[in-house]
Amino acid sequence: MATLLPCPVAFRSGASDPSEPLVNMVSDEGRLRIGLAHGGVTDFTESGDAITPDRDQSARLDYLALGDWHGRMAVSDRVQYSGTPEQDRFKHGRRGVCLCVELDGPGAPPKVEEIETGTFLWQEIEVPLHPRQDAAAALAEALPQSGRRDILMRVAATGWAGLPDRADLERAAEASAPEFAHFDLVTDALGTQYDAADLDEIDRGGALRLAADMLKDDAEADALPQEDRDVAADALARLYAYVREASE
């Protein structure tokens, strides 16, 4: 037999441990004490309302099921978060689960089994690149080969790439995106290497080459803020991609 000890949240933010009432909750002798509470074992808001991680001991609990943290986390054998049954952000790197908890009797260690419930996987991967590498092939190799319709994918390209490599990467990402539930290519940490031959592909003279040279100078200008340099680099990469696409 078991006694369920619910500890609902009374206030949005209370500057105290929301699981503290469990300490004084009574139950009949010989029954399992199972607590339910909502809150974080770490105070992310600096409000002082974090749950103490050893609440199972101070409240004499056989098991404490916690909600609030959206990912699966075991604080201890007797204090655990199941997380949300369906994940909702790029953070936890796995599908949602529920927990099947078996307790043989008061004081017995809980047996916890994870049961996958989530359909969608929010997945982040990194694709490190170097100049003149086949960027499209590197992306294809890094992406999962099956189950794409149920994956929300974020790809972080890092390292360095030439203008042609960057254009190939963008094109490969656009081609792969419809196969996923969501697809996002992040190039904030990808530097661009500029070769004269690549700028010649844009134009050897005239207004386009003048614009390309100005963007290249701004992208490499130490005197400019990094944000302005990134904007110039992105604009030059787009200009190169547009010109190459028009010529094909």
Side-chain angles (χ1 to χ4, degrees), residues 21-147:
L22 291 169
V23 176
N24 298 318
M25 290 184 182
V26 298
S27 62
D28 294 337
E29 188 71 25
R31 296 171 69 98
L32 291 166
R33 287 175 58 85
I34 300 175
L36 297 174
H38 185 277
V41 292
T42 300
D43 184 9
F44 295 105
T45 63
E46 300 182 358
S47 64
D49 57 355
I51 292 176
T52 180
D54 61 352
R55 180 57 72 201
D56 61 309
Q57 300 176 35
S58 60
R60 309 171 310 285
L61 300 175
D62 293 289
Y63 188 81
L64 175 56
L66 293 177
D68 182 60
W69 181 250
H70 284 206
R72 167 79 178 102
M73 182 170 67
V75 180
S76 67
D77 289 345
R78 298 184 186 276
V79 181
Q80 304 205 25
Y81 291 87
S82 63
T84 55
E86 190 72 66
Q87 292 299 311
D88 60 359
R89 67 194 69 186
F90 290 107
K91 189 169 186 177
H92 306 293
R94 60 178 300 183
R95 286 181 168 86
V97 301
C98 68
L99 300 181
C100 177
V101 182
E102 182 179 347
L103 293 163
D104 292 334
K111 301 173 184 177
V112 180
E113 178 187 359
E114 296 180 357
I115 300 176
E116 189 172 279
T117 56
T119 298
F120 292 99
L121 173 63
W122 296 63
Q123 185 174 8
E124 291 182 290
I125 62 173
E126 181 178 325
V127 179
L129 300 173
H130 57 79
R132 299 308 175 189
Q133 179 183 3
D134 188 334
L139 176 63
E141 184 177 354
L143 293 178
Q145 299 304 308
S146 61

Side-chain angles (χ1 to χ4, degrees), residues 135-168:
L139 176 63
E141 184 177 354
L143 293 178
Q145 299 304 308
S146 61
R148 295 185 173 188
R149 293 303 305 165
D150 295 332
I151 298 177
L152 295 92
M153 175 63 64
R154 176 182 288 167
V155 179
T158 63
W160 292 87
L163 286 172
D165 311 319
R166 190 161 183 147
D168 290 341

